Amino acid sequence: MKKVSVLAVLILMGFLVPSFAAEVSFHGDMNNRFMLYTNHYDWFRFEQKGSLDDGNVEDNFAEIKYRFWTEVGSDDGNLKGVYAVEIGGIHFGKPGGLGKATGGSYSGDSVNIETRWAYTDFQIPGIDQKARFRLGLQPFTVSKYLWSETAMGAMFNGGLDMFDYQLAWMRTYEFKNEEEDNDSDDVDNFLGRFTVKPMDNLKVGLFGLYQSGDPDTGPGEYGEFTPESYLVKTFANTVELDIWNFGIDGSFSQGLGAGKLFLNWDAIMQTGEINKATYSTRLSSVSGDFDLNGYFLHADLGYKTDKMKLTYTFWYTSGDDDPTDSDFDGFIATDLDITDSIVLFEGSYADDDGFSERHYLLDKGFIMNKLAFEYQATEKLRTGIAGLYMMTAEDVEYADNRNVLQSNDSIGIEVDAFISYMLYKNVEVALNAGYLFADDALDYFETEAIRDGEADENIFLSSFRVRYNF
């Protein structure tokens, strides 16, 4: 981080003005990523649209993902403005055009800069010691397993002593009201959270999130979505939403010997309606109004010392067992990034080309069992290994290449490993790899020619990065 006075900046720009009490800081995250090798690049088509061909589909690539942000604020911390830009996922040598996240070929990048954050954050005097407002495009987290991404809106944070509270309104889609009789309701999201920390080693949070929206559609007009697009952000502007999310999360730790035991937990219940929708699978298509009743459970249990950390992770994401009825029993996330698996999620360092950002498969939910070990070998060198056994909560159902109905729930066993070295104080070089021994549920994603009810293709991925943070 680099700090300079506003006066110095203005003088450099050729202006002569009096100095005032403010600070400017500039930050950066310059992430150079390489997919070293994969035997199935056809799998990595992001958002569960990949397909597994017969035999290897090998590839490798290099890309950059750079983020820079500036903070301008008063020296007493009462006021801060933040603006961030991102150059995202530009492959070396890949041609592109205006507005596309490509363009690493001849003569430059063809315009790839996007605004990542743009918000004002300020203290509210006379309420409590933590009371602050944040307005604009900002980082927004309800839960790591429900919604954790950038969003546009207003957030109020406050608290006293051991209690913190948060209120937020996020507008994620605004419909055009160009006709006098247009009665659409924009997609709005309202969050209330209360967190208590009665002691240093215990924290408990409660939250409620209400999500609503209604496009101006006529009789018989439905917004369509599929198991592959089972994520709120992919269809929120096409259907009527009326969703309530209630959750409890927290953490606890306790010293034991040379280290400490730790426990993290999350539990989320969903209820509400998704109306004016057509839900299409490979076997059926149903239009109408749907009741949503999903839930999610997660826990991390582990032990860590100065040198090592051992963690067992479990989660259960509810799935839908009957796509032809008027109920959605599958838990549905809004917008997030999950990195627990290198092959299935965004654990690869080249994460823009991951298979899925969700913690479930299709609308069938997910059961995760993961055991991970990390070891700090030296001050600069860290390494780790993990084993994952994964299933869907409900069977994945489809017709194979003989038109025989198949039903499977086992995804398979994955082995992941990484090694990270701090080349300089702010420069990391790291390598990771994952291998999925695929089980029969992945036959759903195989090309029609080899879709026979049994998994035929295992998946390997290795990636590398050089990352400079300041």
Side-chain angles (χ1 to χ4, degrees):
M1 180 180 71
K2 178 78 172 176
K3 290 187 176 181
V4 296
S5 71
V6 171
L7 178 60
V9 174
L10 294 176
I11 290 175
L12 289 174
M13 295 173 62
F15 295 96
L16 295 176
V17 297
S19 177
F20 55 93
E23 290 185 345
V24 178
S25 60
F26 182 66
H27 310 257
D29 180 0
M30 306 178 71
N31 200 352
N32 307 274
R33 300 106 66 89
F34 304 83
M35 189 180 73
L36 298 179
Y37 173 77
T38 180
N39 67 329
H40 266 293
Y41 188 59
D42 48 346
W43 175 251
F44 299 100
R45 293 178 179 170
F46 205 77
E47 279 320 303
Q48 311 198 29
K49 296 178 182 178
S51 62
L52 293 168
D53 207 344
D54 185 14
N56 288 354
V57 180
E58 301 173 336
D59 205 351
N60 62 76
F61 62 80
E63 66 177 13
I64 62 171
K65 188 171 186 177
Y66 290 178
R67 184 178 297 169
F68 302 100
W69 65 100
T70 301
E71 298 182 5
V72 181
S74 59
D75 59 357
D76 58 11
N78 289 335
L79 177 64
K80 179 172 66 173
V82 177
Y83 180 71
V85 296
E86 182 177 292
I87 306 169
I90 303 175
H91 286 208
F92 291 16
K94 188 173 184 178
L98 184 65
K100 296 181 180 179
T102 56
S105 188
Y106 300 106
S107 301
D109 71 339
S110 302
V111 184
N112 287 281
I113 296 177
E114 65 169 304
T115 296
R116 179 65 179 175
W117 304 322
Y119 63 87
T120 302
D121 184 301
F122 55 95
Q123 179 79 28
I124 305 296
I127 299 180
D128 63 54
Q129 61 197 34
K130 300 179 182 178
R132 300 188 71 91
F133 252 119
R134 180 180 290 182
L135 304 170
L137 184 63
Q138 58 189 281
F140 179 63
T141 296
V142 177
S143 164
K144 173 185 175 181
Y145 299 100
L146 177 61
W147 189 357
S148 182
E149 252 294 353
T150 296
M152 184 76 82
M155 183 188 300
F156 176 72
N157 293 284
L160 290 168
D161 300 324
M162 69 178 70
F163 302 101
D164 290 324
Y165 56 92
Q166 183 181 72
L167 299 172
W169 161 64
M170 297 288 150
R171 172 158 290 175
T172 49
Y173 196 87
E174 182 183 63
F175 294 104
K176 293 181 179 179
N177 292 317
E178 297 176 343
E179 300 176 5
E180 185 177 347
D181 61 349
N182 188 302
D183 59 355
S184 62
D185 293 324
D186 299 323
V187 181
D188 289 316
N189 307 266
F190 301 92
L191 171 68
R193 171 179 276 276
F194 177 78
T195 304
V196 59
K197 192 173 183 180
M199 57 188 75
D200 290 340
N201 62 342
L202 175 63
K203 181 172 70 173
V204 179
L206 300 169
F207 69 82
L209 173 70
Y210 176 63
Q211 302 172 278
S212 67
D214 186 4
D216 183 33
T217 55
E221 294 182 358
Y222 301 98
E224 185 173 2
F225 66 109
T226 67
E228 286 79 7
S229 62
Y230 199 70
L231 187 69
V232 169
K233 76 172 184 179
T234 65
F235 61 80
N237 63 320
T238 65
V239 302
E240 179 184 341
L241 293 178
D242 186 26
I243 301 175
W244 290 90
N245 304 269
F246 301 99
I248 178 171
D249 49 34
S251 62
F252 173 77
S253 62
Q254 178 66 52
L256 180 65
K260 63 180 179 180
L261 290 167
F262 63 88
L263 172 66
N264 306 311
W265 67 87
D266 299 85
I268 306 171
M269 182 186 72
Q270 290 184 325
T271 186
E273 297 178 351
I274 299 175
N275 298 329
K276 302 178 184 177
T278 295
Y279 193 61
S280 300
T281 73
R282 291 182 180 179
L283 298 176
S284 62
S285 181
V286 180
S287 297
D289 298 338
F290 301 86
D291 293 325
L292 174 63
N293 291 284
Y295 63 94
F296 171 78
L297 302 170
H298 158 262
D300 293 322
L301 177 64
Y303 180 74
K304 64 181 178 180
T305 68
D306 291 340
K307 290 287 188 179
M308 57 78 67
K309 181 168 75 169
L310 179 66
T311 308
Y312 169 69
T313 296
F314 169 83
W315 77 60
Y316 184 97
T317 310
S318 69
D320 191 63
D321 62 348
D322 185 358
T324 65
D325 64 16
S326 60
D327 295 319
F328 286 137
D329 299 316
F331 181 88
I332 184 166
T334 298
D335 190 8
L336 38 65
D337 298 285
I338 299 296
T339 61
D340 290 72
S341 162
I342 290 175
V343 173
L344 202 62
F345 303 136
E346 293 185 294
S348 165
Y349 296 138
D351 54 9
D352 279 6
D353 288 78
F355 172 68
S356 175
E357 64 184 355
R358 296 168 251 176
H359 54 292
Y360 49 86
L361 196 67
L362 305 168
D363 61 344
K364 299 306 179 183
F366 205 87
I367 301 174
M368 168 68 84
N369 287 278
K370 177 179 180 180
L371 187 64
F373 177 77
E374 297 182 19
Y375 181 64
Q376 189 77 40
T378 69
E379 183 180 351
K380 295 184 177 182
L381 180 65
R382 185 168 60 98
T383 187
I385 189 169
L388 301 77
Y389 176 62
M390 301 172 289
M391 302 174 61
T392 54
E394 302 291 343
D395 286 353
V396 178
E397 297 180 340
Y398 60 97
D400 66 14
N401 56 9
R402 301 160 296 175
N403 204 31
V404 175
L405 183 65
Q406 299 291 341
S407 181
N408 297 298
D409 65 359
S410 182
I411 298 169
I413 295 174
E414 181 176 335
V415 178
D416 295 342
F418 78 90
I419 184 168
S420 170
Y421 183 77
M422 296 304 297
L423 191 63
Y424 299 104
K425 180 180 179 181
N426 298 322
V427 179
E428 177 204 32
V429 292
L431 170 71
N432 74 1
Y435 192 93
L436 175 62
F437 299 89
D439 213 337
D440 291 344
L442 261 67
D443 181 60
Y444 174 94
F445 295 98
E446 293 180 358
T447 56
E448 185 176 357
I450 62 172
R451 195 182 305 138
D452 57 4
E454 297 181 359
D456 300 303
E457 301 296 326
N458 298 327
I459 307 169
F460 174 75
L461 171 67
S462 59
S463 65
F464 175 75
R465 74 180 176 199
V466 179
R467 189 173 193 177
Y468 174 37
N469 286 286
F470 61 89

